[in-house]
Amino acid sequence: MKLHIKNDSGFLALAIRMVIGWTYFSAFFRRTILADKLDPELAGYIGIKFNHFLPNALGIKPIIQYLVENPDILWYNMLAFTIIEGVVGLFIIFGLFTRLMSIGVLGLAMGILLGSGWIGTTCLDEWQIGVLGIATGFLLFLTGSGRFSLDQYLLNKSVNFTKKPWFAWLGSGIIPIKNHHFSKLVLIGSFLIFGLTLYTNQVFHGGLWGTLHNKSVKPKLEITEGKLDNNRLSFDVFRVEGVDVYGAWIISIQLIDAQNNIILNYTQNDLANLPELTIANYYIAKVKPGKHSLIIPLGAKANLKFDTSRANHLSSGPYTLRITDISGASWSHQIIK
């Protein structure tokens, strides 16, 4: 009996297929046609965006760190990632090898969720994109593409390979498993995705219990490896929170002794004119002097070295390193000489 149009689940999911397909294909379109976002020398390079994910990524942080520490390897991965998004999106829109491409949607959405699910200044943007992408990818795997798809066109033409069992798994049509196994697949998959949604909502944003938090609102710096020796102050600074499209604007770096005396004071103008040798960046997102301050983008980490010879002889004891942002926020780190 011919499948009634109202029971054609693949056809009923047409809007989802078109929207999710364009979501991924448009990423390819933006980076290659509308603008060149694959050139490491240009502003807007996608690798910098990838670096922004690093501080609070879940589970895949070592992978991200390895890539941003190796710019050449990162570029090849960004190119491959962009091509995959383009292919997956285009095939989903046309409904060709829909179930195989839906697995691609699941994988891409999982990467977005784990890498950047903590980013979003207003509406938990990246988290929502990630969990909805996973859910829609799973739905498209279950439904395949019905009428108004290339999969269905090939099935209607009775192309030889569409009669093979593997086509139902990778393309469209009735999945060749028993009904009770299919029911379990739907239930188990749905509740696993729902569980992942709740878990990541809590981890990234405190959405179930405890205090709600948004790590994309205010800048936060981590200061480590502070040392005072041989007329030199050195330390690592790592921007771990704040808006991804807006830097931390550092206007003051001070060294303070135990009696609360300011021993060294690098002002806004000093920091805007730091020589390159003062900064050693670890990743592709760069800590660098700006026009009016020292700029620290999200995910950037660098070792900073300052000459202390202009201060009087520094005696042994505890010192406090204080870094101040233009917003008034400040971060301190204890150093023992």
Side-chain angles (χ1 to χ4, degrees), residues 170-193:
L170 302 183
S172 295
I174 303 284
I175 297 179
I177 59 174
K178 296 179 180 179
N179 286 343
H180 67 279
H181 290 317
F182 185 76
S183 296
K184 289 180 180 178
L185 174 63
V186 173
L187 289 171
I188 292 172
S190 298
F191 280 100
L192 283 175
I193 292 171

mmCIF file with all atom_site columns, all heavy atoms in Angstrom, residues 170-193:
data_model
loop_
_atom_site.group_PDB
_atom_site.id
_atom_site.type_symbol
_atom_site.label_atom_id
_atom_site.label_alt_id
_atom_site.label_comp_id
_atom_site.label_asym_id
_atom_site.label_entity_id
_atom_site.label_seq_id
_atom_site.pdbx_PDB_ins_code
_atom_site.Cartn_x
_atom_site.Cartn_y
_atom_site.Cartn_z
_atom_site.occupancy
_atom_site.B_iso_or_equiv
_atom_site.pdbx_formal_charge
_atom_site.auth_seq_id
_atom_site.auth_comp_id
_atom_site.auth_asym_id
_atom_site.auth_atom_id
_atom_site.pdbx_PDB_model_num
ATOM 1   N N   . LEU A 1 170 ? 21.728 4.375   5.319  1.00 0.00 ? 170 LEU A N   1
ATOM 2   C CA  . LEU A 1 170 ? 22.488 5.583   4.977  1.00 0.00 ? 170 LEU A CA  1
ATOM 3   C C   . LEU A 1 170 ? 21.673 6.613   4.222  1.00 0.00 ? 170 LEU A C   1
ATOM 4   O O   . LEU A 1 170 ? 22.036 7.798   4.209  1.00 0.00 ? 170 LEU A O   1
ATOM 5   C CB  . LEU A 1 170 ? 23.719 5.199   4.139  1.00 0.00 ? 170 LEU A CB  1
ATOM 6   C CG  . LEU A 1 170 ? 24.703 4.217   4.768  1.00 0.00 ? 170 LEU A CG  1
ATOM 7   C CD1 . LEU A 1 170 ? 25.887 3.995   3.843  1.00 0.00 ? 170 LEU A CD1 1
ATOM 8   C CD2 . LEU A 1 170 ? 25.167 4.707   6.128  1.00 0.00 ? 170 LEU A CD2 1
ATOM 9   N N   . GLY A 1 171 ? 20.603 6.196   3.574  1.00 0.00 ? 171 GLY A N   1
ATOM 10  C CA  . GLY A 1 171 ? 19.772 7.108   2.798  1.00 0.00 ? 171 GLY A CA  1
ATOM 11  C C   . GLY A 1 171 ? 18.441 7.346   3.466  1.00 0.00 ? 171 GLY A C   1
ATOM 12  O O   . GLY A 1 171 ? 18.325 8.048   4.470  1.00 0.00 ? 171 GLY A O   1
ATOM 13  N N   . SER A 1 172 ? 17.388 6.756   2.896  1.00 0.00 ? 172 SER A N   1
ATOM 14  C CA  . SER A 1 172 ? 16.039 6.908   3.443  1.00 0.00 ? 172 SER A CA  1
ATOM 15  C C   . SER A 1 172 ? 15.276 5.610   3.221  1.00 0.00 ? 172 SER A C   1
ATOM 16  O O   . SER A 1 172 ? 15.796 4.654   2.650  1.00 0.00 ? 172 SER A O   1
ATOM 17  C CB  . SER A 1 172 ? 15.310 8.080   2.770  1.00 0.00 ? 172 SER A CB  1
ATOM 18  O OG  . SER A 1 172 ? 15.940 9.311   3.062  1.00 0.00 ? 172 SER A OG  1
ATOM 19  N N   . GLY A 1 173 ? 14.043 5.613   3.667  1.00 0.00 ? 173 GLY A N   1
ATOM 20  C CA  . GLY A 1 173 ? 13.231 4.419   3.579  1.00 0.00 ? 173 GLY A CA  1
ATOM 21  C C   . GLY A 1 173 ? 13.012 3.818   4.957  1.00 0.00 ? 173 GLY A C   1
ATOM 22  O O   . GLY A 1 173 ? 13.433 4.366   5.981  1.00 0.00 ? 173 GLY A O   1
ATOM 23  N N   . ILE A 1 174 ? 12.367 2.670   4.985  1.00 0.00 ? 174 ILE A N   1
ATOM 24  C CA  . ILE A 1 174 ? 12.082 1.983   6.245  1.00 0.00 ? 174 ILE A CA  1
ATOM 25  C C   . ILE A 1 174 ? 13.370 1.355   6.772  1.00 0.00 ? 174 ILE A C   1
ATOM 26  O O   . ILE A 1 174 ? 14.021 0.574   6.082  1.00 0.00 ? 174 ILE A O   1
ATOM 27  C CB  . ILE A 1 174 ? 11.032 0.868   6.043  1.00 0.00 ? 174 ILE A CB  1
ATOM 28  C CG1 . ILE A 1 174 ? 9.751  1.432   5.439  1.00 0.00 ? 174 ILE A CG1 1
ATOM 29  C CG2 . ILE A 1 174 ? 10.759 0.168   7.378  1.00 0.00 ? 174 ILE A CG2 1
ATOM 30  C CD1 . ILE A 1 174 ? 8.884  2.180   6.341  1.00 0.00 ? 174 ILE A CD1 1
ATOM 31  N N   . ILE A 1 175 ? 13.758 1.710   8.005  1.00 0.00 ? 175 ILE A N   1
ATOM 32  C CA  . ILE A 1 175 ? 14.953 1.101   8.598  1.00 0.00 ? 175 ILE A CA  1
ATOM 33  C C   . ILE A 1 175 ? 14.685 -0.383  8.827  1.00 0.00 ? 175 ILE A C   1
ATOM 34  O O   . ILE A 1 175 ? 13.672 -0.747  9.446  1.00 0.00 ? 175 ILE A O   1
ATOM 35  C CB  . ILE A 1 175 ? 15.308 1.779   9.940  1.00 0.00 ? 175 ILE A CB  1
ATOM 36  C CG1 . ILE A 1 175 ? 15.665 3.250   9.705  1.00 0.00 ? 175 ILE A CG1 1
ATOM 37  C CG2 . ILE A 1 175 ? 16.471 1.071   10.620 1.00 0.00 ? 175 ILE A CG2 1
ATOM 38  C CD1 . ILE A 1 175 ? 15.999 4.017   10.971 1.00 0.00 ? 175 ILE A CD1 1
ATOM 39  N N   . PRO A 1 176 ? 15.563 -1.262  8.320  1.00 0.00 ? 176 PRO A N   1
ATOM 40  C CA  . PRO A 1 176 ? 15.300 -2.711  8.373  1.00 0.00 ? 176 PRO A CA  1
ATOM 41  C C   . PRO A 1 176 ? 15.591 -3.334  9.743  1.00 0.00 ? 176 PRO A C   1
ATOM 42  O O   . PRO A 1 176 ? 16.476 -4.179  9.893  1.00 0.00 ? 176 PRO A O   1
ATOM 43  C CB  . PRO A 1 176 ? 16.236 -3.259  7.297  1.00 0.00 ? 176 PRO A CB  1
ATOM 44  C CG  . PRO A 1 176 ? 17.384 -2.311  7.274  1.00 0.00 ? 176 PRO A CG  1
ATOM 45  C CD  . PRO A 1 176 ? 16.794 -0.958  7.563  1.00 0.00 ? 176 PRO A CD  1
ATOM 46  N N   . ILE A 1 177 ? 14.834 -2.905  10.752 1.00 0.00 ? 177 ILE A N   1
ATOM 47  C CA  . ILE A 1 177 ? 14.907 -3.551  12.059 1.00 0.00 ? 177 ILE A CA  1
ATOM 48  C C   . ILE A 1 177 ? 13.481 -3.770  12.556 1.00 0.00 ? 177 ILE A C   1
ATOM 49  O O   . ILE A 1 177 ? 12.538 -3.120  12.098 1.00 0.00 ? 177 ILE A O   1
ATOM 50  C CB  . ILE A 1 177 ? 15.700 -2.716  13.093 1.00 0.00 ? 177 ILE A CB  1
ATOM 51  C CG1 . ILE A 1 177 ? 15.072 -1.329  13.295 1.00 0.00 ? 177 ILE A CG1 1
ATOM 52  C CG2 . ILE A 1 177 ? 17.144 -2.579  12.689 1.00 0.00 ? 177 ILE A CG2 1
ATOM 53  C CD1 . ILE A 1 177 ? 15.736 -0.531  14.398 1.00 0.00 ? 177 ILE A CD1 1
ATOM 54  N N   . LYS A 1 178 ? 13.337 -4.694  13.499 1.00 0.00 ? 178 LYS A N   1
ATOM 55  C CA  . LYS A 1 178 ? 12.004 -5.018  14.010 1.00 0.00 ? 178 LYS A CA  1
ATOM 56  C C   . LYS A 1 178 ? 11.416 -3.841  14.782 1.00 0.00 ? 178 LYS A C   1
ATOM 57  O O   . LYS A 1 178 ? 12.139 -3.017  15.334 1.00 0.00 ? 178 LYS A O   1
ATOM 58  C CB  . LYS A 1 178 ? 12.086 -6.255  14.902 1.00 0.00 ? 178 LYS A CB  1
ATOM 59  C CG  . LYS A 1 178 ? 12.508 -7.515  14.149 1.00 0.00 ? 178 LYS A CG  1
ATOM 60  C CD  . LYS A 1 178 ? 12.596 -8.707  15.080 1.00 0.00 ? 178 LYS A CD  1
ATOM 61  C CE  . LYS A 1 178 ? 13.019 -9.965  14.316 1.00 0.00 ? 178 LYS A CE  1
ATOM 62  N NZ  . LYS A 1 178 ? 13.148 -11.151 15.212 1.00 0.00 ? 178 LYS A NZ  1
ATOM 63  N N   . ASN A 1 179 ? 10.089 -3.804  14.821 1.00 0.00 ? 179 ASN A N   1
ATOM 64  C CA  . ASN A 1 179 ? 9.399  -2.670  15.436 1.00 0.00 ? 179 ASN A CA  1
ATOM 65  C C   . ASN A 1 179 ? 9.788  -2.452  16.888 1.00 0.00 ? 179 ASN A C   1
ATOM 66  O O   . ASN A 1 179 ? 9.972  -1.305  17.330 1.00 0.00 ? 179 ASN A O   1
ATOM 67  C CB  . ASN A 1 179 ? 7.882  -2.858  15.326 1.00 0.00 ? 179 ASN A CB  1
ATOM 68  C CG  . ASN A 1 179 ? 7.379  -2.624  13.920 1.00 0.00 ? 179 ASN A CG  1
ATOM 69  O OD1 . ASN A 1 179 ? 8.072  -2.025  13.092 1.00 0.00 ? 179 ASN A OD1 1
ATOM 70  N ND2 . ASN A 1 179 ? 6.170  -3.087  13.632 1.00 0.00 ? 179 ASN A ND2 1
ATOM 71  N N   . HIS A 1 180 ? 9.911  -3.537  17.666 1.00 0.00 ? 180 HIS A N   1
ATOM 72  C CA  . HIS A 1 180 ? 10.218 -3.344  19.085 1.00 0.00 ? 180 HIS A CA  1
ATOM 73  C C   . HIS A 1 180 ? 11.651 -2.847  19.273 1.00 0.00 ? 180 HIS A C   1
ATOM 74  O O   . HIS A 1 180 ? 11.935 -2.104  20.209 1.00 0.00 ? 180 HIS A O   1
ATOM 75  C CB  . HIS A 1 180 ? 9.971  -4.630  19.885 1.00 0.00 ? 180 HIS A CB  1
ATOM 76  C CG  . HIS A 1 180 ? 10.903 -5.753  19.568 1.00 0.00 ? 180 HIS A CG  1
ATOM 77  N ND1 . HIS A 1 180 ? 10.736 -6.572  18.469 1.00 0.00 ? 180 HIS A ND1 1
ATOM 78  C CD2 . HIS A 1 180 ? 12.016 -6.198  20.225 1.00 0.00 ? 180 HIS A CD2 1
ATOM 79  C CE1 . HIS A 1 180 ? 11.698 -7.482  18.455 1.00 0.00 ? 180 HIS A CE1 1
ATOM 80  N NE2 . HIS A 1 180 ? 12.485 -7.280  19.509 1.00 0.00 ? 180 HIS A NE2 1
ATOM 81  N N   . HIS A 1 181 ? 12.557 -3.208  18.370 1.00 0.00 ? 181 HIS A N   1
ATOM 82  C CA  . HIS A 1 181 ? 13.917 -2.665  18.421 1.00 0.00 ? 181 HIS A CA  1
ATOM 83  C C   . HIS A 1 181 ? 13.913 -1.183  18.020 1.00 0.00 ? 181 HIS A C   1
ATOM 84  O O   . HIS A 1 181 ? 14.648 -0.371  18.591 1.00 0.00 ? 181 HIS A O   1
ATOM 85  C CB  . HIS A 1 181 ? 14.849 -3.440  17.501 1.00 0.00 ? 181 HIS A CB  1
ATOM 86  C CG  . HIS A 1 181 ? 15.154 -4.823  17.974 1.00 0.00 ? 181 HIS A CG  1
ATOM 87  N ND1 . HIS A 1 181 ? 15.436 -5.120  19.282 1.00 0.00 ? 181 HIS A ND1 1
ATOM 88  C CD2 . HIS A 1 181 ? 15.231 -6.005  17.296 1.00 0.00 ? 181 HIS A CD2 1
ATOM 89  C CE1 . HIS A 1 181 ? 15.673 -6.407  19.420 1.00 0.00 ? 181 HIS A CE1 1
ATOM 90  N NE2 . HIS A 1 181 ? 15.542 -6.977  18.217 1.00 0.00 ? 181 HIS A NE2 1
ATOM 91  N N   . PHE A 1 182 ? 13.068 -0.850  17.034 1.00 0.00 ? 182 PHE A N   1
ATOM 92  C CA  . PHE A 1 182 ? 12.977 0.545   16.615 1.00 0.00 ? 182 PHE A CA  1
ATOM 93  C C   . PHE A 1 182 ? 12.427 1.415   17.743 1.00 0.00 ? 182 PHE A C   1
ATOM 94  O O   . PHE A 1 182 ? 12.902 2.535   17.977 1.00 0.00 ? 182 PHE A O   1
ATOM 95  C CB  . PHE A 1 182 ? 12.091 0.657   15.373 1.00 0.00 ? 182 PHE A CB  1
ATOM 96  C CG  . PHE A 1 182 ? 12.036 2.039   14.791 1.00 0.00 ? 182 PHE A CG  1
ATOM 97  C CD1 . PHE A 1 182 ? 13.092 2.544   14.050 1.00 0.00 ? 182 PHE A CD1 1
ATOM 98  C CD2 . PHE A 1 182 ? 10.918 2.855   14.999 1.00 0.00 ? 182 PHE A CD2 1
ATOM 99  C CE1 . PHE A 1 182 ? 13.056 3.821   13.518 1.00 0.00 ? 182 PHE A CE1 1
ATOM 100 C CE2 . PHE A 1 182 ? 10.875 4.138   14.470 1.00 0.00 ? 182 PHE A CE2 1
ATOM 101 C CZ  . PHE A 1 182 ? 11.941 4.618   13.731 1.00 0.00 ? 182 PHE A CZ  1
ATOM 102 N N   . SER A 1 183 ? 11.426 0.892   18.451 1.00 0.00 ? 183 SER A N   1
ATOM 103 C CA  . SER A 1 183 ? 10.862 1.630   19.586 1.00 0.00 ? 183 SER A CA  1
ATOM 104 C C   . SER A 1 183 ? 11.929 1.891   20.643 1.00 0.00 ? 183 SER A C   1
ATOM 105 O O   . SER A 1 183 ? 12.012 2.990   21.211 1.00 0.00 ? 183 SER A O   1
ATOM 106 C CB  . SER A 1 183 ? 9.700  0.846   20.208 1.00 0.00 ? 183 SER A CB  1
ATOM 107 O OG  . SER A 1 183 ? 8.640  0.709   19.290 1.00 0.00 ? 183 SER A OG  1
ATOM 108 N N   . LYS A 1 184 ? 12.752 0.891   20.912 1.00 0.00 ? 184 LYS A N   1
ATOM 109 C CA  . LYS A 1 184 ? 13.829 1.060   21.896 1.00 0.00 ? 184 LYS A CA  1
ATOM 110 C C   . LYS A 1 184 ? 14.841 2.102   21.421 1.00 0.00 ? 184 LYS A C   1
ATOM 111 O O   . LYS A 1 184 ? 15.341 2.906   22.209 1.00 0.00 ? 184 LYS A O   1
ATOM 112 C CB  . LYS A 1 184 ? 14.528 -0.276  22.148 1.00 0.00 ? 184 LYS A CB  1
ATOM 113 C CG  . LYS A 1 184 ? 13.689 -1.283  22.914 1.00 0.00 ? 184 LYS A CG  1
ATOM 114 C CD  . LYS A 1 184 ? 14.452 -2.591  23.119 1.00 0.00 ? 184 LYS A CD  1
ATOM 115 C CE  . LYS A 1 184 ? 13.602 -3.596  23.893 1.00 0.00 ? 184 LYS A CE  1
ATOM 116 N NZ  . LYS A 1 184 ? 14.307 -4.895  24.070 1.00 0.00 ? 184 LYS A NZ  1
ATOM 117 N N   . LEU A 1 185 ? 15.147 2.071   20.111 1.00 0.00 ? 185 LEU A N   1
ATOM 118 C CA  . LEU A 1 185 ? 16.078 3.056   19.556 1.00 0.00 ? 185 LEU A CA  1
ATOM 119 C C   . LEU A 1 185 ? 15.558 4.474   19.777 1.00 0.00 ? 185 LEU A C   1
ATOM 120 O O   . LEU A 1 185 ? 16.302 5.370   20.200 1.00 0.00 ? 185 LEU A O   1
ATOM 121 C CB  . LEU A 1 185 ? 16.275 2.795   18.060 1.00 0.00 ? 185 LEU A CB  1
ATOM 122 C CG  . LEU A 1 185 ? 17.114 3.829   17.287 1.00 0.00 ? 185 LEU A CG  1
ATOM 123 C CD1 . LEU A 1 185 ? 18.546 3.862   17.805 1.00 0.00 ? 185 LEU A CD1 1
ATOM 124 C CD2 . LEU A 1 185 ? 17.088 3.520   15.785 1.00 0.00 ? 185 LEU A CD2 1
ATOM 125 N N   . VAL A 1 186 ? 14.263 4.679   19.510 1.00 0.00 ? 186 VAL A N   1
ATOM 126 C CA  . VAL A 1 186 ? 13.665 6.002   19.683 1.00 0.00 ? 186 VAL A CA  1
ATOM 127 C C   . VAL A 1 186 ? 13.705 6.426   21.146 1.00 0.00 ? 186 VAL A C   1
ATOM 128 O O   . VAL A 1 186 ? 14.125 7.547   21.482 1.00 0.00 ? 186 VAL A O   1
ATOM 129 C CB  . VAL A 1 186 ? 12.215 6.021   19.163 1.00 0.00 ? 186 VAL A CB  1
ATOM 130 C CG1 . VAL A 1 186 ? 11.543 7.351   19.493 1.00 0.00 ? 186 VAL A CG1 1
ATOM 131 C CG2 . VAL A 1 186 ? 12.183 5.772   17.664 1.00 0.00 ? 186 VAL A CG2 1
ATOM 132 N N   . LEU A 1 187 ? 13.292 5.545   22.036 1.00 0.00 ? 187 LEU A N   1
ATOM 133 C CA  . LEU A 1 187 ? 13.209 5.890   23.456 1.00 0.00 ? 187 LEU A CA  1
ATOM 134 C C   . LEU A 1 187 ? 14.585 6.112   24.069 1.00 0.00 ? 187 LEU A C   1
ATOM 135 O O   . LEU A 1 187 ? 14.830 7.117   24.761 1.00 0.00 ? 187 LEU A O   1
ATOM 136 C CB  . LEU A 1 187 ? 12.468 4.790   24.220 1.00 0.00 ? 187 LEU A CB  1
ATOM 137 C CG  . LEU A 1 187 ? 10.965 4.690   23.955 1.00 0.00 ? 187 LEU A CG  1
ATOM 138 C CD1 . LEU A 1 187 ? 10.384 3.430   24.585 1.00 0.00 ? 187 LEU A CD1 1
ATOM 139 C CD2 . LEU A 1 187 ? 10.251 5.926   24.491 1.00 0.00 ? 187 LEU A CD2 1
ATOM 140 N N   . ILE A 1 188 ? 15.502 5.175   23.812 1.00 0.00 ? 188 ILE A N   1
ATOM 141 C CA  . ILE A 1 188 ? 16.845 5.290   24.402 1.00 0.00 ? 188 ILE A CA  1
ATOM 142 C C   . ILE A 1 188 ? 17.558 6.526   23.862 1.00 0.00 ? 188 ILE A C   1
ATOM 143 O O   . ILE A 1 188 ? 18.142 7.311   24.614 1.00 0.00 ? 188 ILE A O   1
ATOM 144 C CB  . ILE A 1 188 ? 17.665 4.011   24.129 1.00 0.00 ? 188 ILE A CB  1
ATOM 145 C CG1 . ILE A 1 188 ? 17.066 2.835   24.905 1.00 0.00 ? 188 ILE A CG1 1
ATOM 146 C CG2 . ILE A 1 188 ? 19.130 4.217   24.537 1.00 0.00 ? 188 ILE A CG2 1
ATOM 147 C CD1 . ILE A 1 188 ? 17.693 1.494   24.555 1.00 0.00 ? 188 ILE A CD1 1
ATOM 148 N N   . GLY A 1 189 ? 17.514 6.716   22.539 1.00 0.00 ? 189 GLY A N   1
ATOM 149 C CA  . GLY A 1 189 ? 18.166 7.878   21.942 1.00 0.00 ? 189 GLY A CA  1
ATOM 150 C C   . GLY A 1 189 ? 17.586 9.188   22.455 1.00 0.00 ? 189 GLY A C   1
ATOM 151 O O   . GLY A 1 189 ? 18.323 10.123  22.780 1.00 0.00 ? 189 GLY A O   1
ATOM 152 N N   . SER A 1 190 ? 16.258 9.237   22.560 1.00 0.00 ? 190 SER A N   1
ATOM 153 C CA  . SER A 1 190 ? 15.600 10.470  23.001 1.00 0.00 ? 190 SER A CA  1
ATOM 154 C C   . SER A 1 190 ? 15.973 10.815  24.436 1.00 0.00 ? 190 SER A C   1
ATOM 155 O O   . SER A 1 190 ? 16.277 11.975  24.751 1.00 0.00 ? 190 SER A O   1
ATOM 156 C CB  . SER A 1 190 ? 14.078 10.333  22.872 1.00 0.00 ? 190 SER A CB  1
ATOM 157 O OG  . SER A 1 190 ? 13.704 10.140  21.524 1.00 0.00 ? 190 SER A OG  1
ATOM 158 N N   . PHE A 1 191 ? 15.950 9.833   25.312 1.00 0.00 ? 191 PHE A N   1
ATOM 159 C CA  . PHE A 1 191 ? 16.256 10.114  26.718 1.00 0.00 ? 191 PHE A CA  1
ATOM 160 C C   . PHE A 1 191 ? 17.747 10.369  26.942 1.00 0.00 ? 191 PHE A C   1
ATOM 161 O O   . PHE A 1 191 ? 18.122 11.133  27.837 1.00 0.00 ? 191 PHE A O   1
ATOM 162 C CB  . PHE A 1 191 ? 15.734 8.991   27.614 1.00 0.00 ? 191 PHE A CB  1
ATOM 163 C CG  . PHE A 1 191 ? 14.267 9.109   27.898 1.00 0.00 ? 191 PHE A CG  1
ATOM 164 C CD1 . PHE A 1 191 ? 13.345 8.341   27.196 1.00 0.00 ? 191 PHE A CD1 1
ATOM 165 C CD2 . PHE A 1 191 ? 13.804 10.019  28.831 1.00 0.00 ? 191 PHE A CD2 1
ATOM 166 C CE1 . PHE A 1 191 ? 11.988 8.469   27.444 1.00 0.00 ? 191 PHE A CE1 1
ATOM 167 C CE2 . PHE A 1 191 ? 12.444 10.151  29.093 1.00 0.00 ? 191 PHE A CE2 1
ATOM 168 C CZ  . PHE A 1 191 ? 11.524 9.378   28.391 1.00 0.00 ? 191 PHE A CZ  1
ATOM 169 N N   . LEU A 1 192 ? 18.606 9.750   26.144 1.00 0.00 ? 192 LEU A N   1
ATOM 170 C CA  . LEU A 1 192 ? 20.029 10.066  26.241 1.00 0.00 ? 192 LEU A CA  1
ATOM 171 C C   . LEU A 1 192 ? 20.286 11.523  25.835 1.00 0.00 ? 192 LEU A C   1
ATOM 172 O O   . LEU A 1 192 ? 21.056 12.236  26.493 1.00 0.00 ? 192 LEU A O   1
ATOM 173 C CB  . LEU A 1 192 ? 20.850 9.123   25.352 1.00 0.00 ? 192 LEU A CB  1
ATOM 174 C CG  . LEU A 1 192 ? 21.088 7.707   25.887 1.00 0.00 ? 192 LEU A CG  1
ATOM 175 C CD1 . LEU A 1 192 ? 21.819 6.868   24.839 1.00 0.00 ? 192 LEU A CD1 1
ATOM 176 C CD2 . LEU A 1 192 ? 21.891 7.741   27.185 1.00 0.00 ? 192 LEU A CD2 1
ATOM 177 N N   . ILE A 1 193 ? 19.637 11.955  24.772 1.00 0.00 ? 193 ILE A N   1
ATOM 178 C CA  . ILE A 1 193 ? 19.807 13.340  24.324 1.00 0.00 ? 193 ILE A CA  1
ATOM 179 C C   . ILE A 1 193 ? 19.216 14.306  25.339 1.00 0.00 ? 193 ILE A C   1
ATOM 180 O O   . ILE A 1 193 ? 19.794 15.364  25.629 1.00 0.00 ? 193 ILE A O   1
ATOM 181 C CB  . ILE A 1 193 ? 19.172 13.533  22.934 1.00 0.00 ? 193 ILE A CB  1
ATOM 182 C CG1 . ILE A 1 193 ? 19.981 12.757  21.884 1.00 0.00 ? 193 ILE A CG1 1
ATOM 183 C CG2 . ILE A 1 193 ? 19.094 15.008  22.559 1.00 0.00 ? 193 ILE A CG2 1
ATOM 184 C CD1 . ILE A 1 193 ? 19.329 12.694  20.520 1.00 0.00 ? 193 ILE A CD1 1
#
